[in-house]
């Protein structure tokens, strides 16, 4: 059996953000009970925070809830209870009690994604109450400025945080690992990978879209190897809105 | 371990928890209400053979999820305490207490589906893997196909040529923590709703 340039049946663990998140969630889940057990994982959109979190979440059998933009406190509690396998009837207060009861003995961490919506909608103190009374390990995922917003809104909440971890933009190593997953039968040369990294502004999501494009291109052209020269000036996805066409 | 098919169990109006998931739910429930519990208490809430319940309790003890307190009741039954609560999903354990990886692939894929938002077969397989649980592209493909046919997934992009199809978990079908199980009959049993899901197009349609 010939080894491909990068292991394709491997895990996403070698990616920078995957490693950062996995370390964080293990640390929070294993923190002694007298310490606060909340932490945040934040970064600009497109850094692949949630995708990076899947690995750590699976390893720790975490429960996961993604907050919707329109979610009220009641909706949040219902969704959280569903994810915890609990009964969703009753008032918000009943539900919060039930959430605490379910989490109190559980060692499985809880991930709350898009936490910015919780802050904006003004029920972060409910999450603090859940944390304080259950002592459950909780990871909040949010946008780059989340730590500042939390600090500005509630000192009490701020004091509950064990750590704040920032997601990193992708680097050349990450791009190489991603190429192994998305173009498994193809050699993508370093100069093209560099260009992709630059055009994608080091955002994982855009890098993946571009790697898919490279794979499509190689398949239609019947290539086994693509470099910057073969790629030429074909378009790469940069995430920018298209320029206006000449009238 | 369960001798009765899960869908038959689900049709029984009074649900008696059985199987590792069932005993685990009983134990968690007992632990919420009282400090310690006995084998008899778990057994009474189930209708499985006592040996089967004892066997799972032993596995949990070996794995460190429950601990014997060293004390007994007045009648001499050992007292146990839930020491490490793994959450709503029952730990799947071998006889010696080590983690069994059987069925974990589906658990990982189900969690990854919720997290990824929009995903292709490859995205799902890659995100669901860990060192101990391998998920092949083929496995992901089958699981996606089953869940789509049973109304869980919406196809967002229909793949053309080399461009892959992508799916999304319907928000209304995010039914809970336990992964929908693909049965040998190719039906899907949802352990959260405790019912067998009707395939779209009826059960007689072959695929």
């Amino acid at each position: 059996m010939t080894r491909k340039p990068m292991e394709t049946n491997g895990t996403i663990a070698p990616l920078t953000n995957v490693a950062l998140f996995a370390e964080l969630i293990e640390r929070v889940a294993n923190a002694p009970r007298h310490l606060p057990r909340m932490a945040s994982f934040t970064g600009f959109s497109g850094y692949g925070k949630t995708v990076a979190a899947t690995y750590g979440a699976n390893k720790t059998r975490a429960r996961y809830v993604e907050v919707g933009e329109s979610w009220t406190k009641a909706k949040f509690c219902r969704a959280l209870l569903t994810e915890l396998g609990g009964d969703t009837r009753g008032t918000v207060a009943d539900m919060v009690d039930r959430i605490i009861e379910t989490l109190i003995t559980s060692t499985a961490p809880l991930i709350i994604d898009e936490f910015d919506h919780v802050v904006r909608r003004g029920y972060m103190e409910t999450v603090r109450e859940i944390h304080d009374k259950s002592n459950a390990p909780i990871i909040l995922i949010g946008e780059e400025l989340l730590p500042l917003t939390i600090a500005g809104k509630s000192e009490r909440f701020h004091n509950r945080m064990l750590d704040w971890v920032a997601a990193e933009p992708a680097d050349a190593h990450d791009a190489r690992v991603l190429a192994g997953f998305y173009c498994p039968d193809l050699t993508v040369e370093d100069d093209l990978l560099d260009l992709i990294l630059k055009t994608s502004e080091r955002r994982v999501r855009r890098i993946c879209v571009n790697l898919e494009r490279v794979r499509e291109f190689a398949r239609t052209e019947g290539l086994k190897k693509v470099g910057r020269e073969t790629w030429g000036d074909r378009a790469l996805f940069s995430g920018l809105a298209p320029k206006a066409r000449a009238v | 371990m369960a001798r009765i098919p899960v869908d038959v169990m689900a049709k029984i109006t009074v649900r008696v928890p059985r199987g590792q998931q069932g005993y685990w739910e009983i134990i968690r429930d007992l632990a919420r209400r009282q400090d310690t519990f006995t084998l008899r208490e778990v057994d009474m809430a189930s209708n499985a053979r006592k040996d089967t319940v004892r066997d799972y309790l032993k596995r949990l003890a070996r794995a460190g999820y429950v601990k014997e307190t060293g004390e007994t009741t007045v009648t001499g039954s050992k007292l146990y305490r839930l020491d490490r609560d793994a959450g709503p999903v029952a730990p799947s354990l071998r006889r010696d207490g080590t983690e069994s990886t059987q069925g974990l692939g589906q658990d990982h894929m189900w969690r990854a589906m919720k997290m990824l938002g929009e995903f292709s077969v490859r995205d799902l397989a890659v995100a669901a893997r860990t060192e101990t649980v391998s998920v092949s592209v083929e496995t992901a493909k089958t699981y996606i196909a089953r869940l789509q046919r049973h109304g869980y997934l919406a196809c967002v992009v229909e793949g053309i040529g080399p461009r892959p199809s992508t799916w999304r978990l319907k928000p209304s079908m995010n039914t809970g923590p336990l992964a929908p199980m693909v049965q040998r009959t190719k039906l899907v049993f949802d352990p959260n709703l405790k019912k067998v899901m009707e395939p779209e197009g009826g059960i007689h349609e072959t695929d």
Side-chain angles (χ1 to χ4, degrees):
Chain A
M1 209 179 88
T2 50
R3 272 290 276 252
K4 283 163 193 161
M6 186 63 83
E7 173 95 302
T8 51
N9 201 28
T11 68
I12 50 174
L15 294 172
T16 314
N17 285 332
V18 175
L20 280 175
F21 186 86
E23 190 276 328
L24 178 68
I25 196 166
E26 299 263 359
R27 185 151 44 92
V28 174
N30 295 324
R33 287 197 92 87
H34 63 270
L35 282 181
R37 302 218 283 178
M38 277 209 281
S40 71
F41 186 64
T42 52
F44 292 107
S45 85
Y47 271 16
K49 298 181 292 288
T50 312
V51 176
T54 52
Y55 173 81
N58 275 329
K59 285 200 82 150
T60 53
R61 317 175 92 198
R63 299 319 331 161
Y64 172 84
V65 63
E66 181 189 343
V67 184
E69 194 269 335
S70 60
W71 283 16
T72 58
K73 197 198 288 190
K75 172 70 189 172
F76 170 78
C77 290
R78 266 200 302 278
L80 182 49
L81 267 173
T82 305
E83 175 65 8
L84 296 172
D87 180 2
T88 57
R89 282 173 298 186
T91 63
V92 169
D94 294 337
M95 286 194 281
V96 169
D97 280 353
R98 224 172 290 129
I99 291 168
I100 292 166
E101 206 176 87
T102 327
L103 286 173
I104 205 157
T105 51
S106 174
T107 53
L110 169 67
I111 300 170
I112 307 178
D113 199 353
E114 305 283 354
F115 192 72
D116 306 79
H117 296 320
V118 174
V119 180
R120 204 172 32 77
R121 283 257 173 182
Y123 50 91
M124 58 193 277
E125 293 298 330
T126 308
V127 174
R128 187 184 56 80
E129 184 194 0
I130 292 169
H131 166 265
D132 286 2
K133 291 189 180 162
S134 71
N135 219 313
I138 301 177
I139 309 264
L140 316 169
I141 300 183
E143 291 292 316
E144 182 71 16
L145 295 176
L146 181 67
L148 281 178
T149 343
I150 290 178
K153 286 231 173 172
S154 164
E155 203 193 319
R156 284 204 292 179
F157 198 102
H158 191 261
N159 290 340
R160 300 307 193 278
M161 302 298 284
L162 184 71
D163 201 359
W164 316 77
V165 172
E168 299 284 341
D171 60 14
H173 169 74
D174 291 339
R176 173 65 52 212
V177 175
L178 289 169
F181 287 128
Y182 286 88
C183 308
D185 307 313
L186 185 69
T187 309
V188 185
E189 288 185 272
D190 284 341
D191 53 0
L192 179 58
L193 221 45
D194 274 348
L195 179 68
I196 290 176
L197 202 57
K198 217 169 286 163
T199 321
S200 309
E201 291 179 317
R202 300 177 172 268
R203 293 177 195 228
V204 173
R205 201 181 294 159
R206 292 179 193 167
I207 295 173
C208 295
V209 171
N210 283 320
L211 286 169
E212 297 260 22
R213 282 192 190 182
V214 172
R215 196 183 61 208
E216 276 179 56
F217 165 74
R219 276 217 207 155
T220 44
E221 300 286 318
L223 300 169
K224 286 261 160 261
K225 196 171 172 188
V226 184
R228 193 162 178 168
E229 209 172 301
T230 18
W231 182 255
D233 52 5
R234 286 176 182 78
L236 283 172
F237 178 65
S238 64
L240 296 174
K243 294 193 185 83
R245 291 166 299 173
V247 190
Chain B
M1 196 167 272
R3 292 289 179 274
I4 301 170
V6 273
D7 57 311
V8 175
M9 281 304 299
K11 285 197 192 105
I12 301 170
T13 21
V14 180
R15 208 181 82 86
V16 186
R18 287 176 70 110
Q20 297 198 346
Q21 183 65 40
Y23 315 141
W24 176 249
E25 281 169 21
I26 297 169
I27 291 170
R28 285 189 89 210
D29 201 41
L30 287 170
R32 257 200 290 280
R33 285 183 281 120
Q34 57 204 52
D35 185 37
T36 56
F37 61 90
T38 62
L39 166 63
R40 189 181 141 78
E41 282 175 307
V42 183
D43 179 50
M44 288 295 281
S46 174
N47 66 351
R49 288 179 49 206
K50 199 171 179 180
D51 288 343
T52 322
V53 183
R54 179 185 290 123
D55 177 69
Y56 187 55
L57 198 56
K58 267 192 189 152
R59 294 181 194 208
L60 287 173
R62 288 202 179 108
Y65 289 103
V66 302
K67 276 219 166 73
E68 280 183 36
T69 59
E71 291 157 43
T72 55
T73 60
V74 277
T75 50
S77 324
K78 279 182 194 160
L79 283 169
Y80 295 90
R81 181 176 286 122
L82 181 62
D83 203 45
R84 191 151 65 88
D85 182 353
V89 186
S92 172
L93 300 171
R94 296 196 194 93
R95 213 165 284 269
D96 62 357
T98 53
E99 204 81 29
S100 157
T101 51
Q102 208 188 354
L104 273 185
Q106 288 187 5
D107 175 65
H108 284 195
M109 283 191 281
W110 179 239
R111 189 178 287 107
M113 279 178 179
K114 296 176 189 176
M115 297 184 72
L116 292 176
E118 203 176 313
F119 52 87
S120 67
V121 168
R122 192 171 294 274
D123 293 336
L124 185 66
V126 167
R129 280 178 208 149
T130 58
E131 286 75 20
T132 47
V133 179
S134 65
V135 177
S136 70
V137 172
E138 267 317 300
T139 312
K141 202 175 186 172
T142 321
Y143 197 55
I144 288 176
R146 285 287 141 219
L147 292 199
Q148 181 180 14
R149 220 167 102 64
H150 287 80
Y152 285 88
L153 306 179
C155 186
V156 187
V157 176
E158 199 87 58
I160 316 156
R163 192 191 299 263
S165 303
T166 55
W167 291 268
R168 194 174 261 284
L169 177 64
K170 295 181 192 167
S172 62
M173 295 308 285
N174 189 348
T175 52
L178 307 170
M181 295 152 70
V182 175
Q183 295 183 270
R184 235 173 296 183
T185 51
K186 294 191 178 163
L187 291 173
V188 171
F189 175 72
D190 192 315
N192 304 300
L193 305 173
K194 299 182 174 73
K195 66 176 193 185
V196 176
M197 307 306 283
E198 189 88 10
E200 286 173 352
I203 44 172
H204 297 299
E205 201 162 286
T206 49
D207 60 335

